[in-house]
Amino acid sequence: MTRPGFAFSTRFKVRYAEIDGQRVVFNSRYLEYADVAITDYWEWTGIGEVLGTVWHDTEFHVRRATVDYLSPLVLGDTIEASVKIESLGNSSLVKRIELTNQRGELCTVIDMVSVHVHLPTGRPTPIEGEVRQFIVALIAAQPDRVA
């Protein structure tokens, strides 16, 4: 079930290769989980089908990611990863990813800042046109925040 304040979630299981000797997920894997969830999120939005090459030629790089480890995920857990766009700046956007286990316990909160870049130079560039309009509409369609 999608968490309050989120319109999207995806599920996957903790695999053996992702754990340490105590059957706890390695710290680095949480960002991999976020990457999987964000990829699924963009696919769910339909942005690639709607915008076509405009979207496929758009490039975002992670600028900063913060991971708040609240409770460990362990071997056998089914992870539900909820994703939403928290905010949209001139050349960046902030995504929030919340990871829960099969009992619905919030285990990890990840805030990720991604910057729209011009690939040949690697420099930030404004998010404009159809891409901005699509993202603005996504944010507007998200469920209200829970106090």
Side-chain angles (χ1 to χ4, degrees):
M1 183 168 101
T2 303
R3 291 184 57 72
F6 291 82
F8 170 82
S9 69
T10 187
R11 288 183 181 179
F12 41 88
K13 286 190 77 73
V14 172
R15 298 172 299 174
Y16 182 79
E18 299 165 346
I19 62 167
D20 62 17
Q22 291 75 42
R23 297 180 164 208
V24 173
V25 172
F26 286 111
N27 293 342
S28 64
R29 297 293 183 157
Y30 290 80
L31 289 176
E32 291 178 35
Y33 294 159
D35 189 57
V36 168
I38 290 165
T39 299
D40 288 355
Y41 172 78
W42 288 124
E43 185 176 308
W44 171 82
T45 69
I47 196 169
E49 290 79 31
V50 173
L51 301 184
T53 57
V54 171
W55 175 248
H56 296 295
D57 291 343
T58 299
E59 183 65 32
F60 286 92
H61 290 180
V62 174
R63 172 69 170 96
R64 178 179 52 248
T66 59
V67 183
D68 192 359
Y69 301 99
L70 304 171
S71 179
L73 291 162
V74 298
L75 181 63
D77 276 346
T78 297
I79 300 167
E80 181 159 0
S82 300
V83 179
K84 67 180 174 180
I85 307 286
E86 278 283 289
S87 63
L88 176 64
N90 182 48
S91 63
S92 65
L93 55 89
V94 178
K95 296 168 289 230
R96 158 88 34 128
I97 303 96
E98 293 187 0
L99 305 178
T100 60
N101 60 24
Q102 64 274 9
R103 293 173 300 284
E105 299 165 341
L106 180 60
C107 296
T108 310
V109 176
I110 301 168
D111 290 311
M112 186 175 289
V113 177
S114 296
V115 176
H116 180 234
V117 297
H118 176 250
L119 271 179
T121 63
R123 301 296 307 158
T125 188
I127 303 167
E128 299 176 326
E130 295 173 286
V131 172
R132 176 170 284 282
Q133 291 171 5
F134 195 97
I135 294 170
V136 166
L138 280 176
I139 294 169
Q142 290 177 159
D144 290 336
R145 294 177 193 245
V146 176

